[in-house]
Amino acid sequence: MIITQGLTVRFGKRVLFEDVNLKFTEGNCYGLIGANGAGKSTFLKILSGEFEASAGEVVIDSGQRVAVLKQDQYAYDEHEVLKTVIMGHKRLYDIMVEKEVLYAKEDFSDEDGIKASELEGEFAELNGWEAETEAARLLSGLGVEPELHEKKMSELSGKEKVRVLLAQALFGTPDILLLDEPTNNLDYKSIKWLEGFLANFPNIVLVVSHDRYFLNQVCTHIADFDFGSVHIFVGNYDFWQESSQMALQLAKDANKKKEEKIKDLQAFIQRFSANASKSKQATSRKKLLEKIELDDIKPSTRRYPYINFKPDREAGDEILFVTDLSKTIDGEVLFKDLTFTLAKGDKVALIGGNGQAQTALFQILMGELEPDSGEVRWGITTSRAYFPKDNSEYFVSEDNLVDWLRQYSPNQEETFLRGFLGRMLFSGEETQKQANVLSGGEKVRCMFARMMLSGANVLLMDEPTNHLDLESITSLNNGLKDFGGTLLLRSNDHQLLSTVCDRIIELSPEGHIDRKYNYDEYLEHEEINELRKKLKMI
């Protein structure tokens, strides 16, 4: 069990959250949600002991082991992958190291034998004989292939390291598991495995994630960071969202009834206060009026950008023709003989195990990269707007946001540009920020503004939800659902793909699959599973 008592965090005059009193109990998974900067990650760091609160305390039952998803990818570079995972259980790993040192001694004494016996006993109690098997199982579940298990961490890619660190946190069934964005850099298969693991996890889990589908699959409770406080609700993310909207509406309705009652009482008092025969009733109503208090309904700290992609003109029936397209980079085949067409109104999810292949295809379609062979032909009535995975080249400018946006806008008026930036949650002094100092989420919102101003009838989007909070992802989701043009989308956000896209193209070096299914149908369809096996996609 975890209990927080009067937990408060202040940075100068700014209060992140104050007097937080919560209880987290065994067998439950708590999703931490709230606007960016509300204090979710800070809260996890306080629970792990990495950060000290301004006031209050955290009480954890004696002897409980806390595991944390580490963020430093380079901390274990000199260690083997399998050992890095086992390091997630510090006491077990320390015993393993101590045993190795003891047994390597040339002058092994009776005292060493007694110590070794004690270590062996504790090692067995901690399930040490199964440690390497469990570590390998976790790594395989998260998509780290067996041939990498004996390599050093320094030999792995960034994405592979992230998965090893996640396996490290999960190792040994910790009593308390703290996960900050665990689905980052995971593919669908690994996320599905993690969902199953956490759904069956017997102890306490606290997780921060911007993946709504993931939160719905694993969470039994939601801890909502808002108004400088934290409140726990029973249920998953969707249940919290529906319940919170309902509670807000009920509070508004109750206030409306009170306001109507106040008006009636005020009218009666005003009419009859000077009337001797009615003066007692007027006085009684005046006392009643004084007792009526309207509930203080605070506006949420959550802010939703207004994302609306509206084509300037409708495209014709011919959108895109891709014929026998192939690309190899650094000796790795990304795709070959890729052929497909896009029809007007298609909303296509571009998926596949190798993200480099999808990004390369986007770059080829936009003329930024040459294919090894094949042809790309766009319809003459199409206009295109592109969201690249790496948007850094757009933000090297020292222009403020008004001037940055002006270069992409047909309307050069400052009032228009400021109004448009306001829809993207930049208001007042925020519009004077330099483009080159923006955060990741701010850059993404600026890119959406640029795309909306283009009036394009075809959108190409390569991982647009990266760096976004739940509110911005929800707004993007709604904007793409309402978009009347053609869309080619790559994303790891399950809910976005399943609610927006009506066609799936999956790439692999051995071939591709192209079907008119929604995302959920595609993942479950027997025909698709057989094809994926043939093409070695699973």
Side-chain angles (χ1 to χ4, degrees), residues 394-427:
Y394 292 88
F395 296 97
V396 292
S397 168
E398 294 183 359
D399 285 345
N400 64 43
L401 291 190
V402 174
D403 290 335
W404 182 89
L405 191 61
R406 182 176 277 120
Q407 62 186 317
Y408 303 113
S409 175
N411 187 330
Q412 299 287 293
E413 291 294 325
E414 182 151 342
T415 52
F416 170 80
L417 295 168
R418 282 180 173 273
F420 206 89
L421 286 167
R423 290 160 59 183
M424 291 295 104
L425 308 183
F426 299 101
S427 58

Side-chain angles (χ1 to χ4, degrees), residues 135-185:
R137 178 176 60 82
L138 291 170
L139 288 168
S140 295
L142 292 169
V144 181
E145 299 300 329
E147 56 265 26
L148 299 178
H149 294 185
E150 304 299 326
K151 290 183 179 292
K152 281 193 173 183
M153 286 286 282
S154 57
E155 299 178 65
L156 271 57
S157 68
K159 285 187 176 182
E160 289 164 343
K161 287 181 180 180
V162 168
R163 296 176 186 217
V164 175
L165 293 179
L166 179 54
Q168 181 191 75
L170 303 180
F171 177 77
T173 318
D175 301 291
I176 298 164
L177 183 55
L178 307 178
L179 302 174
D180 195 348
E181 296 293 354
T183 61
N184 282 2
N185 293 308

Side-chain angles (χ1 to χ4, degrees), residues 387-395 440 443-444 447 467:
F387 183 99
K389 183 179 179 181
D390 180 6
N391 57 38
S392 56
E393 67 180 74
Y394 292 88
F395 296 97
K443 288 178 180 178
V444 171
M447 290 298 290
H467 307 293

Side-chain angles (χ1 to χ4, degrees), residues 138-316:
L138 291 170
L139 288 168
S140 295
L142 292 169
V144 181
E145 299 300 329
E147 56 265 26
L148 299 178
H149 294 185
E150 304 299 326
K151 290 183 179 292
K152 281 193 173 183
M153 286 286 282
S154 57
E155 299 178 65
L156 271 57
S157 68
K159 285 187 176 182
E160 289 164 343
K161 287 181 180 180
V162 168
R163 296 176 186 217
V164 175
L165 293 179
L166 179 54
Q168 181 191 75
L170 303 180
F171 177 77
T173 318
D175 301 291
I176 298 164
L177 183 55
L178 307 178
L179 302 174
D180 195 348
E181 296 293 354
T183 61
N184 282 2
N185 293 308
L186 297 187
D187 57 16
Y188 166 77
K189 186 179 177 183
S190 299
I191 292 174
K192 198 73 178 170
W193 180 90
L194 182 60
E195 287 170 1
F197 182 93
L198 294 180
N200 294 305
F201 191 75
N203 300 325
I204 299 172
V205 182
L206 276 77
V207 58
V208 174
S209 177
H210 291 148
D211 188 326
R212 298 160 296 167
Y213 185 87
F214 178 75
L215 290 176
N216 280 329
Q217 295 301 108
V218 305
C219 290
T220 60
H221 296 70
I222 293 294
D224 181 25
F225 286 66
D226 207 353
F227 310 120
S229 189
V230 188
H231 298 281
I232 291 179
F233 297 84
V234 177
N236 63 13
Y237 179 75
D238 278 352
F239 189 81
W240 164 83
Q241 196 170 44
E242 291 170 14
S243 300
S244 61
Q245 291 301 312
M246 189 181 298
L248 180 63
Q249 191 57 52
L250 287 172
K252 287 179 177 178
D253 291 345
N255 269 1
K256 190 175 180 181
K257 288 181 181 178
K258 288 178 183 178
E259 287 170 353
E260 290 171 356
K261 182 71 173 174
I262 288 169
K263 285 179 183 177
D264 290 343
L265 291 172
Q266 287 173 336
F268 185 93
I269 293 165
Q270 189 174 6
R271 185 177 176 189
F272 295 111
S273 58
N275 186 319
S277 64
K278 299 267 190 177
S279 62
K280 282 189 178 180
Q281 293 180 40
T283 301
S284 174
R285 281 167 169 75
K286 191 172 184 180
K287 289 180 180 177
L288 183 61
L289 179 61
E290 290 170 355
K291 291 180 181 177
I292 297 177
E293 292 183 5
L294 293 176
D295 294 325
D296 182 18
I297 303 174
K298 299 177 184 176
S300 173
T301 56
R302 291 178 170 82
R303 297 193 299 163
Y304 292 81
Y306 178 69
I307 298 175
N308 180 29
F309 302 102
K310 191 173 181 181
D312 286 341
R313 65 170 183 171
E314 187 175 345

Side-chain angles (χ1 to χ4, degrees), residues 271-466:
R271 185 177 176 189
F272 295 111
S273 58
N275 186 319
S277 64
K278 299 267 190 177
S279 62
K280 282 189 178 180
Q281 293 180 40
T283 301
S284 174
R285 281 167 169 75
K286 191 172 184 180
K287 289 180 180 177
L288 183 61
L289 179 61
E290 290 170 355
K291 291 180 181 177
I292 297 177
E293 292 183 5
L294 293 176
D295 294 325
D296 182 18
I297 303 174
K298 299 177 184 176
S300 173
T301 56
R302 291 178 170 82
R303 297 193 299 163
Y304 292 81
Y306 178 69
I307 298 175
N308 180 29
F309 302 102
K310 191 173 181 181
D312 286 341
R313 65 170 183 171
E314 187 175 345
D317 293 332
E318 295 187 351
I319 302 296
L320 173 66
F321 299 87
V322 173
T323 309
D324 295 330
L325 210 62
S326 298
K327 186 63 183 178
T328 298
I329 294 179
D330 296 330
E332 182 178 4
V333 177
L334 301 181
F335 47 82
K336 62 181 180 182
D337 302 327
L338 177 63
T339 299
F340 67 90
T341 62
L342 290 188
K344 183 169 69 173
D346 275 349
K347 291 186 175 179
V348 180
L350 187 63
I351 68 173
N354 188 344
Q356 188 182 11
Q358 298 159 51
T359 294
L361 178 57
F362 277 119
Q363 292 172 330
I364 290 169
L365 295 180
M366 291 303 298
E368 296 180 357
L369 187 67
E370 284 294 320
D372 297 334
S373 60
E375 181 186 10
V376 171
R377 180 168 64 84
W378 286 99
I380 58 173
T381 59
T382 61
S383 54
R384 300 171 291 284
Y386 175 42
F387 183 99
K389 183 179 179 181
D390 180 6
N391 57 38
S392 56
E393 67 180 74
Y394 292 88
F395 296 97
V396 292
S397 168
E398 294 183 359
D399 285 345
N400 64 43
L401 291 190
V402 174
D403 290 335
W404 182 89
L405 191 61
R406 182 176 277 120
Q407 62 186 317
Y408 303 113
S409 175
N411 187 330
Q412 299 287 293
E413 291 294 325
E414 182 151 342
T415 52
F416 170 80
L417 295 168
R418 282 180 173 273
F420 206 89
L421 286 167
R423 290 160 59 183
M424 291 295 104
L425 308 183
F426 299 101
S427 58
E429 292 183 2
E430 289 181 316
T431 63
Q432 297 306 302
K433 279 186 177 180
Q434 288 183 188
N436 59 4
V437 301
L438 296 179
S439 69
E442 289 171 331
K443 288 178 180 178
V444 171
R445 283 186 270 125
C446 284
M447 290 298 290
F448 291 160
R450 173 181 171 274
M451 294 177 75
M452 285 189 279
L453 285 169
S454 74
N457 52 35
V458 180
L459 303 181
L460 298 92
M461 307 188 88
D462 190 357
E463 294 199 358
T465 63
N466 286 356

